[in-house]
Amino acid sequence: MMETADFGSPRRGNVMVIIVAALFAVLFLRLYQLQLFYHEELGKQSEENSIRTFVKEPIRGYVYDRNGKLMVDVGPSFTVTVIPAGFEAGNLELLSSFLQTEPQSIQDRITKGRARSRFSPVKVLRDINFTALSAIEEHLFMLPGVSYEVESKRYYPTKARASHLLGYCKEITDAQLAKAGEYYRQGDVIGSAGLEASYETFLRGEKGYEYVAVNSKGQLLGSFENGKNDKRPTEGFDLVLSIDADVQAFAESLMTNFRGSIVAIDPNDGGILAMVSKPDFDPSVFSGVTPAEVWNQLNNDLEKPLFNRATMTRYPPGSTFKMLVAAAALEEGIIDENYRITCRGAYRFGNRTYKDQKVHGSTNIVEAIQKSCNVFFYQLILKVGLDNLNRYSGKFGFGQPTGIDIGEETAGLIPSVEYYDRVYGKGKWTQGYLVSLGVGQGEIGASPLQMARYAAALANGGTLRQPHAVNLVRNKQTNRMNTIEHRSGRVGISQNNMNLIREGMRRVVQEAGGTGGMARVPNITSAGKTGTAENPHGDDHSWFVGFAPFDNPKIAVAVLLENAGFGGTRAAPIGGFVIEKYLFGDVRRRMYIAPAKKDTVVKVTQAVAQ
Amino acid sequence: MNTYFKEYFDYKSLGICLALVGAGLISIYSATFDINNAANFDRQVVWTMVGFVALVVAAYFPLKTVQRLAIPLYVATLAMLLIVLIIGKTTSGSKSWFDFGGSFRLQPSEFAKVITVLAFAAFLSKTTVTIGNMKHLIVGLTIFALPMGFVLAQPDLGTSVVFFGVMVPLLYWAGASRFMFAAILAPILVAFGALLGTTAFLIAVVLSGLLLFVTRENNFAAALAFGITLAVGLSVQIVYERLPTYQRNRIATFLDPGHDPLGAGYNVLQSKVAIGSGGLLGKGYMKGTQTQLNFIPEQWTDFIFCVPGEEFGMLGASVVLILFASLLFHGIKVGELSKNKFGSMTAIGITAILATHVFINIGMSMGLMPVIGIPLPFLSYGGSSLVSNMIMVGLLMNVYANRKSY
């Protein structure tokens, strides 16, 4: 017999009550812990669980030329997305076969996206073709977590490429993503060059968000809270450029056989009318997905087609610089219109002889510009001195960025006493270094854009304007056009002195004995200056700067042809054609430009890299 | 008549029961709304009516007749459990249903619990039987062991755990000695140890040996109990190997919470999220995202507690808990008040069945218990469970009404 308690003893009844009470206490404590203590954390988790955020891509802004012609259009592009949490790994092969791509590349993107959020869609392939889109669309039911988004894709309806000016959009890189902050996510497209980059925040618009409730299988059930938290995407702003698409296309066609650049500016407001850099590229290769081969080819091409020669190069301006030396000399009272020298075809300084093209005889400042007399400027620059040269260069905007709104540009180089001291050592350089600067040779460099602005300042009688490609921005919400303010300032050259220089430039083009006769445009008076920049790496670079009409200038232009030789024969006619096209809408004469001698590409590359 | 309502009508049991059934219907409606299971709500309403009739019958059926019928019913139930094992319908890996065609299905194991309690109570309330007698104790244990074994063979781990959860308090109430409990607890301790690993197993063996030694009344019984304990511990490993994967996963998840969040732990995680996200006042009826969006699998059955937890918050969940606590305290009270041994055992047994379900189910919803898949009384969807629970409340009312008769 075992020792037992009485049946139903009161003590045992109490023990049972206590045990039940204790167990309920545990349940209550746990309830308190979950619902109050961990509420915030678990509440957030429940939201993440059941709400998927779908990004609605905005329509990127359009780009119009100055006459309202559509230059950059937008079309739909379809991007496949995957929600990492909802995607079944077993479907990877199927998905990649629909998309005709490697499973690994899809997997890599999902893995990368998962690290950011398991519940947000990751873009796995952009700009899929119609076959892939229909395959995906038809099989969505067997591909949980897979969806697609509509994004903008660029189209270029005009003949103008304007590759370097318009720039391009590209899928955001990891480095950009790290810098750009919250707005962007992996797979987004971002303006990466030219106007697309510098006006990115205007053009891109604002993404919209759609919150969709999903069930545990990741199936979409409909909008969350009737879409009251949704945000519609905001369309990007349109840009209205100062560019004339016809002139741009025409200028590009003139450069078919050349490396180099054309920049045309409206001297009255600083608006860029055309900007060409050759060789260029077809911007539409960037509109969808850029295959790595294409990108690498563009990047590795020895002629550097991605490089914007209009803003990023530094070429000695050659004789086109003579107006600046003249302006410094006249304005400082070193010479006046009556000052004459006799040119014997060469100038001796120290133990070196500096050559001229020919013997010009008795020459004043106007004739020196007209005939491009080197001897006149060799002796003049010694009188002007390095400090004055530097100061007047600054007034015309050399040696400093122009502030153009397309992003990257070079400041150029204008030597100063400090510069020579730094490079050669104090007291180890002589006035002889100065002599070649008088004719724009030597350690001096300017971009075609700087040269065009200089030409524009000479055209408008001395106002230096900030060059810009965008005139107006249209706000798509208010539909209002917003103008953009630009800097401008006087170069500070007296009317009389400016007239002397402009007269010299007029004679260059219009008078017999001028070096720029080939830039002459029928029925109109133009002005200009040719230049031939000596190039230690190969054939000389060919320059022309000019403007027209002479009395009421509407266009200023700078033309640079790499290794094309004498400025008067190649750059000058191109400048003339561009002016004519812009002023008359067409060129009604036989167009002939002597083809350039082809230098070796390697030498060009060296020159460009310099 | 007035005296009847004052003295003999157990309005408390009935009131709490109806309140819980109401809470259940509200929750099931929310959990099954807008998905393919919406018909479940209508079916549950029908089952509630069936259950109410069964409750009334159980409440007014003569208690003495219940006592007399207990053993024959028990035998019949055992037979049913055997038959269901052979021809039953397989649901989520276990054979526990009778399928009568159409939408009418019956789960005998739901009724087996209360019938086993009745049989045990009937056996122990015989004047010739005392719990202190070894032979009688073994018969009593066998009354539990047989249905428990059949249910385990289905295999339905959850229901067999309930049998165990009912047996222990009943033995306690019946007056079993400390050694008897040591002898019952020791194998469980060792079984747990076996699941956790060799070191835990050895510690459990030593502890249960000590427990048996300290409470021993004679050495032979202690040695026998220790032998059984060892045998159980060793066979657990073998049984564990034979368990279906889903149950093994559930055990593994319990032993290592946070393991495999998208597998077996997924349910618990989602259910914790649902309850936790409810906060103090809840997200509002029909507005619980976890509930409405089907994040918790089968939540109208085993995870129904998430619905009040998420949609009505701590307030709603507390109301449910308080209702259950009141019912359980009242059940114990009825057991204590009953001068009739059969009635008293029945009340305690019924209370134990309900308590085991409540603590395991709610504990599991809040991540305190392994997911062993037993319904929450009155709230979970399921006809067999609801009807058998309402029969139990009817019986409790019956015992209350007859508490003064010997």
Side-chain angles (χ1 to χ4, degrees), chain B residues 112-246:
Chain B
K113 286 178 276 198
V114 62
I115 288 167
T116 304
V117 163
L118 292 177
F120 183 79
F123 172 68
L124 273 190
S125 54
K126 284 182 179 169
T127 44
T128 49
V129 172
T130 105
I131 193 77
N133 182 313
M134 180 75 115
K135 241 166 49 193
H136 295 158
L137 177 67
I138 287 169
V139 173
L141 288 176
T142 311
I143 289 176
F144 274 100
L146 285 175
M148 199 167 145
F150 291 159
V151 167
L152 197 58
Q154 283 176 357
D156 180 352
L157 186 68
T159 308
S160 50
V161 167
V162 175
F163 275 105
F164 190 81
V166 176
M167 182 180 77
V168 173
L170 263 186
L171 286 173
Y172 184 70
W173 186 241
S177 68
R178 285 188 299 169
F179 172 73
M180 288 178 195
F181 283 101
I184 293 163
L185 284 176
I188 300 169
L189 200 64
V190 172
F192 252 104
L195 289 177
L196 285 171
T198 318
T199 319
F201 175 69
L202 291 177
I203 292 170
V205 168
V206 171
L207 274 178
S208 47
L210 273 174
L211 197 62
L212 289 169
F213 181 74
V214 168
T215 58
R216 81 191 189 286
E217 283 143 13
N218 74 65
N219 289 336
F220 173 71
L224 184 69
F226 190 64
I228 292 168
T229 300
L230 279 180
V232 167
L234 290 171
S235 52
V236 158
Q237 200 55 47
I238 298 157
V239 173
Y240 181 74
E241 295 295 333
R242 278 202 57 239
L243 277 178
T245 324
Y246 81 98

Side-chain angles (χ1 to χ4, degrees), chain A residues 71-101:
Chain A
M71 284 188 83
V72 184
D73 197 358
V74 182
S77 156
F78 297 92
T79 297
V80 177
T81 63
V82 166
I83 296 171
F87 186 67
E88 285 166 18
N91 285 334
L92 187 61
E93 290 288 336
L94 186 65
L95 182 61
S96 70
S97 73
F98 287 151
L99 298 178
Q100 300 135 33
T101 183

